[in-house]
Amino acid sequence: LAKTTQPISMDSYEGQEVNITCSHNNIATNDYITWYQQFPSQGPRFIIQGYKTKVTNEVASLFIPADRKSSTLSLPRVSLSDTAVYYCLVGPSGNTGKLIFGQGTTLQVKP
Amino acid sequence: GAVVSQHPSRVICKSGTSVKIECRSLDFQATTMFWYRQFPKQSLMLMATSNEGSKATYEQGVEKDKFLINHASLTLSTLTVTSAHPEDSSFYICSAAGGAKGSYNEQFFGPGTRLTVL
């Protein structure tokens, strides 16, 4: 299973753009890259998913370079409510569908 | 996205009792459900993979006789913590994948169940 590495924590201020980078050097050809957001005592919430290049939805953008060994989640103009843990996952694993969570990045948005 | 529910949202029980947690996919048929456990300030840890109509596959180190998983239908999986002890106190989260909502590429997570064993 591809392992991911993210910064443990990040601080930002309201209104700023936040970029969280994830390394996944041994990503497999069939793996997708998915980002989840988790608030305390809640289940993870899907943010965005991509395979290559750039993906954008109403809440975030995902940038994936050609070698796919890393990815960057971009959150435009964060607010206090974006304070959460963000997980980068690659997979799923073959026919099992397993997703393995790494340590995640705790984003703290300050006023 | 799809909706996955869990019941109960929180439960407190005495040591030695068994607790059942339900995970339901409300608007799609999930061929596979996953169970995770999360301790405070830690990431989610995959416990087992549950496929409808077959035995669950447990991750290394997870006792299958202690954490009984049943996936009797495409919309319901249950996790029973048998003879619970204080060290089993944790946040249990399920996710569902497959079926009409697509392949494994996206998992839909439930809101979690907080288990406290006294």
Side-chain angles (χ1 to χ4, degrees):
Chain A
L1 296 172
K3 181 180 177 180
T4 59
T5 303
Q6 307 172 230
I8 293 176
S9 64
M10 294 182 68
D11 289 340
S12 182
Y13 290 93
E14 283 190 291
Q16 290 188 331
E17 177 184 77
V18 171
N19 296 308
I20 307 175
T21 297
C22 177
S23 297
H24 28 80
N25 291 317
N26 59 341
I27 187 171
T29 302
N30 295 331
D31 284 343
Y32 281 74
I33 300 160
T34 311
W35 286 79
Y36 287 89
Q37 175 193 55
Q38 187 182 30
F39 296 111
S41 296
Q42 294 186 28
R45 183 177 74 100
F46 173 88
I47 300 175
I48 198 166
Q49 183 182 77
Y51 183 80
K52 61 180 179 180
T53 63
K54 177 184 175 182
V55 180
T56 298
N57 61 23
E58 61 276 9
V59 297
S61 294
L62 179 59
F63 299 91
I64 306 169
D67 65 6
R68 304 202 326 125
K69 293 184 182 299
S70 67
S71 60
T72 299
L73 172 72
S74 181
L75 304 172
R77 299 178 301 281
V78 295
S79 63
L80 295 176
S81 62
D82 293 316
T83 294
V85 179
Y86 292 82
Y87 293 99
C88 160
L89 289 90
V90 293
S93 173
N95 294 326
T96 68
K98 292 197 293 187
L99 289 176
I100 303 300
F101 281 76
Q103 63 185 8
T105 297
T106 299
L107 172 65
Q108 179 71 49
V109 180
K110 303 175 181 179
Chain B
V3 180
V4 176
S5 70
Q6 284 185 238
H7 179 78
S9 58
R10 59 180 63 216
V11 57
I12 300 173
C13 69
K14 293 182 179 180
S15 184
T17 61
S18 294
V19 175
K20 179 185 286 188
I21 301 170
E22 294 185 347
C23 176
R24 294 182 184 272
S25 56
L26 300 183
D27 56 354
F28 76 107
Q29 293 183 324
T31 54
T32 304
M33 289 185 172
F34 303 87
W35 286 95
Y36 298 82
R37 179 167 54 179
Q38 185 175 34
F39 293 108
K41 304 289 187 184
Q42 295 187 22
S43 182
L44 285 76
M45 183 188 77
L46 180 65
M47 298 175 67
T49 302
S50 168
N51 290 297
E52 186 266 337
S54 62
K55 290 183 178 180
T57 301
Y58 291 82
E59 294 300 301
Q60 189 173 8
V62 178
E63 300 175 57
K64 62 180 182 180
D65 294 330
K66 180 169 185 62
F67 299 99
L68 301 179
I69 293 173
N70 183 282
H71 192 162
S73 76
L74 288 173
T75 60
L76 174 64
S77 176
T78 61
L79 167 67
T80 300
V81 183
T82 62
S83 186
H85 291 285
E87 58 265 30
D88 297 322
S89 297
S90 188
F91 192 53
Y92 292 86
I93 306 169
C94 73
S95 70
K101 289 292 183 178
S103 66
Y104 298 124
N105 288 344
E106 185 176 350
Q107 289 187 22
F108 301 96
F109 287 82
T113 296
R114 174 75 59 193
L115 170 64
T116 302
V117 184
L118 302 177

